[in-house]
Amino acid sequence: MPFSHHSHSGQFCGHADNSLEEMIKEAIARKMQVFAMTEHMPRDRVEDMYPEELAASQTPADLIRVHDDFYTEAARLRDAYSSQIHLFIGFECDWIRPSSRGLIEDLLNKYRYDLFIGSVHHVHAIPIDYDRQLYVMARAKSGGTDKQLFEDYFDSQFDMLQAVRPPIVGHFDLICLNSDDPNGSFKQWDSVWQKAIRNLSFIAEYGGIVEINSASLRKGMNEPYPKREICEVVMPASSNVQLDEEA
């Protein structure tokens, strides 16, 4: 059954293209039966905003308004296209620091979502997937090596998993994207590998789903998120995996 549970539209997300309705029409044209609309959750601090948001003079209040508009439009589209496709409404959480838990819980209480994706895009409150320059800044905060930053990333991810137990875990090993060797093995560092295994074990324990996300292929990597070595751990232990392209 063709489906996607991780998507972003140019209408409500600065790093995507097309309106939300155009995406739904394309999903229908591709004969998809299930499609989840999952824009990013709003962030509440100016220091957490991305360069393109600041360039557009947006504020945290604007991000909240944009997400409110997203939910309204998603609900409209769900009703308008209900005879052609099953649409879910969700969001992708941005775990930046422990206080992110309150923002996530507030959002879950504000609207009736069908699902949400648990993701980590920041380490030491610095984006690690936006560009190489910001990745290097985050790495310096960890001590200066990829190994140290990877350890901190998986620790932050573990904090997120324990705090909110997301039904879907997004791009599990996103941290490798801007590293010195994006296609390298986590097994080269036992401490990093053990933290990744710890996180996977916890996801399996509470019944979460690890997405297999092909967005990495568009960004020049050789494998989807997560790498094959991660999938080889996940799949024998649990059937809780799903394919996504993060449209």
Side-chain angles (χ1 to χ4, degrees):
M1 178 179 70
F3 64 87
S4 175
H5 285 77
H6 189 165
S7 67
H8 302 294
S9 71
Q11 185 175 357
F12 300 109
C13 175
H15 64 71
D17 299 307
N18 304 109
S19 71
L20 191 56
E21 185 161 15
E22 287 171 338
M23 292 179 63
I24 300 309
K25 289 180 177 178
E26 181 63 23
I28 293 170
R30 295 189 183 192
K31 302 188 184 306
M32 299 184 80
Q33 298 179 36
V34 176
F35 189 88
M37 302 169 284
T38 57
E39 301 294 2
H40 288 279
M41 64 177 278
R43 282 154 277 116
D44 67 339
R45 300 188 187 187
V46 171
E47 60 264 34
D48 294 337
M49 299 185 71
Y50 287 101
E52 72 265 17
E53 294 168 340
L54 295 172
S57 300
Q58 288 185 301
T59 66
D62 291 325
L63 300 186
I64 294 171
R65 177 187 54 76
V66 167
H67 194 83
D68 289 342
D69 290 346
F70 155 68
Y71 190 92
T72 299
E73 176 67 354
R76 182 188 75 82
L77 294 171
R78 180 179 57 191
D79 293 341
Y81 291 95
S82 61
S83 64
Q84 300 176 68
I85 191 170
H86 188 63
L87 296 174
F88 290 150
I89 302 177
F91 67 93
E92 182 177 11
C93 80
D94 289 320
W95 183 270
I96 301 176
R97 56 184 65 85
S99 61
S100 298
R101 177 177 183 169
L103 298 176
I104 295 165
E105 291 175 344
D106 288 347
L107 207 53
L108 289 169
N109 289 327
K110 184 175 184 179
Y111 291 117
R112 295 184 63 181
Y113 295 99
D114 298 303
L115 57 89
F116 71 96
I117 301 165
S119 297
V120 175
H121 300 94
H122 299 69
V123 180
H124 307 301
I126 300 171
I128 47 83
D129 65 322
Y130 185 81
D131 60 22
R132 173 72 176 179
Q133 181 180 0
L134 288 173
Y135 175 90
V136 170
M137 288 175 58
R139 186 171 66 183
K141 288 272 190 179
S142 284
T145 68
D146 282 345
K147 173 181 176 289
Q148 291 167 307
L149 182 56
F150 285 18
E151 290 173 342
D152 290 345
Y153 170 83
F154 283 119
D155 282 343
S156 183
Q157 185 184 67
F158 192 54
D159 290 342
M160 180 270 294
L161 294 170
Q162 290 182 303
V164 298
R165 299 192 175 204
I168 300 171
V169 180
H171 33 60
F172 180 85
D173 53 0
L174 180 67
I175 188 62
C176 58
L177 175 63
N178 288 310
S179 66
D180 289 343
D181 184 10
N183 298 304
S185 171
F186 292 119
K187 293 181 180 179
Q188 63 183 301
W189 300 302
D190 184 65
S191 58
V192 172
W193 182 244
Q194 292 306 318
K195 289 177 185 290
I197 297 301
R198 173 201 61 193
N199 293 7
L200 292 170
S201 297
F202 186 75
I203 294 166
E205 200 176 291
Y206 76 78
I209 296 171
V210 177
E211 71 165 1
I212 299 176
N213 185 321
S214 65
S216 58
L217 303 178
R218 300 197 306 267
K219 299 176 181 181
M221 294 177 63
N222 293 341
E223 298 178 279
Y225 307 117
K227 299 175 185 291
R228 178 175 177 174
E229 64 189 15
I230 297 290
C231 293
E232 288 174 343
V233 173
V234 175
M235 298 185 78
S238 170
S239 61
N240 291 339
V241 296
Q242 71 177 36
L243 298 172
D244 278 315
E245 61 177 353
E246 193 174 349

